[in-house]
Amino acid sequence: MDVSPDNSGTVKVNGSAATSSYPSVFSIARYSTVTLEAMPAFGYTFSNWSGAVTGTTNPTSLYVDCDKTVTATFATAGTAAPLYFPHVATSIPWQTEIAIINTSDQTVTGTLRGISNAGLLMETK
């Protein structure tokens, strides 16, 4: 099992993710069918399968009757749109609470920045 480009995602085999490094080897019972699911890393989307499996169906199945090599290819998703949280006026000056809930199984990274009404970066404390 491999992914391309490096660090662009992972592949689950029957629901279990590969090790943290690729290429990765799985021991699968001969003459069995496994389910492969490409899981893109943040900032990537699944593009296609190559090798013993081809196409864009995700998840997909693979019949294992001998040693096989499969590569999941991911593409850059482009620049993610920024999230804007407007300030809600309260009797206490500038107390806004923000919650970001990640409902996926992918790690999300980023930077929260305070921007003034004039669109300028505010000082952090």
Side-chain angles (χ1 to χ4, degrees):
M1 187 64 52
D2 204 358
V3 298
S4 178
D6 290 342
N7 302 314
S8 58
T10 59
V11 177
K12 287 185 178 179
V13 178
N14 286 340
S16 296
T19 61
S20 60
S21 62
Y22 288 92
S24 185
V25 177
F26 282 86
S27 295
I28 306 295
R30 188 175 231 177
Y31 307 116
S32 63
T33 300
V34 295
T35 300
L36 305 176
E37 184 176 6
M39 307 294 294
F42 183 74
Y44 289 89
T45 60
F46 172 69
S47 177
N48 63 280
W49 300 104
S50 60
V53 175
T54 59
T56 58
T57 302
N58 188 35
T60 192
S61 296
L62 171 66
Y63 180 69
V64 181
D65 57 353
C66 63
D67 289 349
K68 297 191 175 188
T69 300
V70 176
T71 299
T73 302
F74 299 93
T76 304
T79 304
L83 298 173
Y84 294 99
F85 299 92
H87 170 69
V88 178
T90 64
S91 60
I92 304 169
W94 281 102
Q95 287 195 356
T96 300
E97 292 183 16
I98 298 171
I100 298 174
I101 301 170
N102 178 11
T103 59
S104 76
D105 61 355
Q106 300 295 311
T107 300
V108 178
T109 60
T111 303
L112 291 175
R113 294 185 179 104
I115 306 295
S116 72
N117 288 341
L120 302 173
L121 183 62
M122 297 178 71
E123 240 181 80
T124 58
K125 295 183 181 189

